[in-house]
Amino acid sequence: MAALNSIACRKPIVKSQSFPDFSPILPSTRLSHKTSSNLLKLNPKNRRNWVIQSVTEDKELAPKKNSHSHEPKKLLFPNGSKTLEASSSEVGGGHGDDDDGHDDVEKLSSRAINASIVLGFGTLAVSKLLTIDHDYWHGWTLYEVLRYVPEHNWVAYEQALKANPVIAKMAISGIVYSIGDWIAQCYEGKPLFDFDRTRMFRSGLVGFTLHGSLSHYYYQFCEALFPLDDWWVVPAKVIFDQTVWAAIWNSIYYVVLGFLRFESSANIYKELKATFWSMLTAGWKLWPFAHVITYGVIPVEQRLLWVDCVELIWVTILSTYSNEKSEARITEPTMDADSNSSNNPPEE
């Protein structure tokens, strides 16, 4: 009994558990609060039961200890967690493979269309040239057929010039400008059947609608401007051609191509101003020598055909100048955006 009295009067010692998120609850505080008024009134047996009940209640009130060391860290969204990035990259990689396959199919189909265009028009042109005398082939040998093909094609061309000179020259210029742009694209490094059909069509359209018709009237105007046959007439025509007419035609070609690419007037003027002198001086490396033959040997009606043959080289230069500036203007914003994104990485 004395031992029970000593236990009841003594403050119970209970080890408090340490919890990271909760303050410890001391049973002694609870016991001391209760013993202040009622402890003396209890008999020894009731005291013992009260002490045991108080300790039990304190243990029930205390929270269970969480083992933080063994719990896996939870990743928060949408903060760019590794799990989310991995799944996104996997999904993006799948889409990237699909896009690559789709691009390959588009390239193959585009090359097939280009090859069909080249082979189709080439076959048509060759067959027309070789079958100019098909109504008279009866009894001819192969040698006779090949012998008269050039002569009779030339006769057919002269007849077309007499019948409708403007349309005939427009058709020749359209064909030459299309082929010239194709050569320019191949010169820039594109494969033979991987050319830009839209770009080639634009160049051919300018040659057909403008170069053939304007050149027809220009050569007649040039003959009226220099009607004499003196020795200085040919140099004068060459100088006039390579200053006045070359500046006018280069500007027309450049501006019309810009509008066909749906560029703004300000951009077209800016690019023309930047390339005008370089295009004009580039022509001086080729045309003065060609025009000595143009104005000194070739008749007026045949001059455009000769000029169009030389145009195959010149259109390559013109088309390269025009499209290089256009592509540079398109790629500049992309390069600026890439540089800005590299200088300013996205916040995580």
Side-chain angles (χ1 to χ4, degrees):
M1 201 67 170
L4 291 175
N5 290 335
S6 62
I7 292 173
C9 296
R10 192 184 305 163
K11 291 184 180 181
I13 300 173
V14 180
K15 291 183 180 181
S16 62
Q17 297 180 353
S18 60
F19 304 98
D21 299 329
F22 301 94
S23 61
I25 300 175
L26 297 177
S28 61
T29 306
R30 187 181 182 91
L31 291 176
S32 63
H33 176 71
K34 290 183 179 181
T35 55
S36 60
S37 58
N38 298 325
L39 181 61
L40 296 176
K41 297 179 182 180
L42 298 176
N43 54 31
K45 184 177 181 179
N46 291 335
R47 289 176 187 173
R48 182 181 62 185
N49 294 335
W50 179 85
V51 170
I52 295 172
Q53 183 179 2
S54 299
V55 174
T56 306
E57 289 177 357
D58 288 333
K59 289 184 178 180
E60 291 177 354
L61 290 175
K64 295 181 179 180
K65 184 178 180 181
N66 296 326
S67 58
H68 294 283
S69 60
H70 298 287
E71 283 186 3
K73 294 183 179 181
K74 295 182 179 180
L75 300 175
L76 300 178
F77 294 95
N79 196 20
S81 64
K82 294 182 179 179
T83 305
L84 181 61
E85 290 176 356
S87 60
S88 300
S89 62
E90 291 174 0
V91 174
H95 287 297
D97 295 337
D98 295 339
D99 293 339
D100 292 339
H102 184 66
D103 292 340
D104 292 338
V105 172
E106 287 186 351
K107 287 181 179 179
L108 289 176
S109 61
S110 178
R111 290 177 181 176
I113 294 172
N114 292 343
S116 301
I117 292 173
V118 173
L119 296 177
F121 279 97
T123 303
L124 179 64
V126 171
S127 63
K128 286 291 185 182
L129 292 174
L130 294 178
T131 59
I132 189 69
D133 295 324
H134 68 280
D135 294 332
Y136 313 100
W137 277 358
H138 184 69
W140 285 21
T141 62
L142 180 61
Y143 171 77
E144 291 175 336
V145 172
L146 297 178
R147 175 187 175 184
Y148 291 109
V149 161
E151 180 183 351
H152 292 171
N153 277 289
W154 182 258
V155 172
Y157 172 69
E158 288 184 334
Q159 291 175 353
L161 286 179
K162 293 178 181 179
N164 200 334
V166 178
I167 297 298
K169 293 175 182 179
M170 288 172 63
I172 293 173
S173 294
I175 295 171
V176 167
Y177 269 68
S178 299
I179 297 174
D181 186 80
W182 181 31
I183 296 173
Q185 295 188 46
C186 294
Y187 177 77
E188 292 168 9
K190 292 184 178 181
L192 189 63
F193 296 123
D194 200 16
F195 56 88
D196 186 353
R197 294 187 301 273
T198 305
R199 170 180 160 179
M200 187 178 70
F201 174 77
R202 285 194 299 258
S203 183
L205 183 64
V206 174
F208 177 79
T209 58
L210 296 175
H211 184 261
S213 57
L214 292 179
S215 296
H216 170 76
Y217 294 109
Y218 161 71
Y219 290 123
Q220 292 182 349
F221 170 76
C222 191
E223 289 299 313
L225 186 63
F226 302 99
L228 303 177
D229 294 331
D230 295 337
W231 64 269
W232 56 268
V233 173
V234 172
K237 289 179 180 178
V238 173
I239 294 172
F240 181 80
D241 186 287
Q242 286 304 293
T243 53
V244 179
W245 172 243
I248 293 174
W249 172 243
N250 290 347
S251 302
I252 291 174
Y253 180 82
Y254 205 97
V255 170
V256 174
L257 277 186
F259 281 119
L260 290 177
R261 287 193 295 260
F262 302 102
E263 297 180 3
S264 63
S265 302
N267 285 331
I268 293 173
Y269 174 75
K270 181 180 178 181
E271 294 169 6
L272 178 62
K273 184 178 179 181
T275 58
F276 176 81
W277 182 252
S278 59
M279 285 193 300
L280 189 64
T281 55
W284 293 349
K285 301 174 183 178
L286 171 67
W287 285 112
F289 306 99
H291 282 325
V292 170
I293 301 174
T294 302
Y295 296 108
V297 179
I298 308 297
V300 178
E301 291 299 324
Q302 310 296 340
R303 283 177 183 173
L304 186 59
L305 181 62
W306 159 251
V307 169
D308 281 337
C309 292
V310 184
E311 287 277 357
L312 286 174
I313 303 173
W314 177 237
V315 172
T316 302
I317 300 172
L318 273 182
S319 182
T320 302
Y321 266 105
S322 177
N323 288 280
E324 276 181 353
K325 289 295 179 180
S326 177
E327 291 173 0
R329 182 185 58 80
I330 293 172
T331 54
E332 278 178 1
T334 306
M335 295 177 63
D336 294 339
D338 293 340
S339 62
N340 291 332
S341 62
S342 62
N343 293 331
N344 300 320
E347 296 181 358
E348 295 182 357

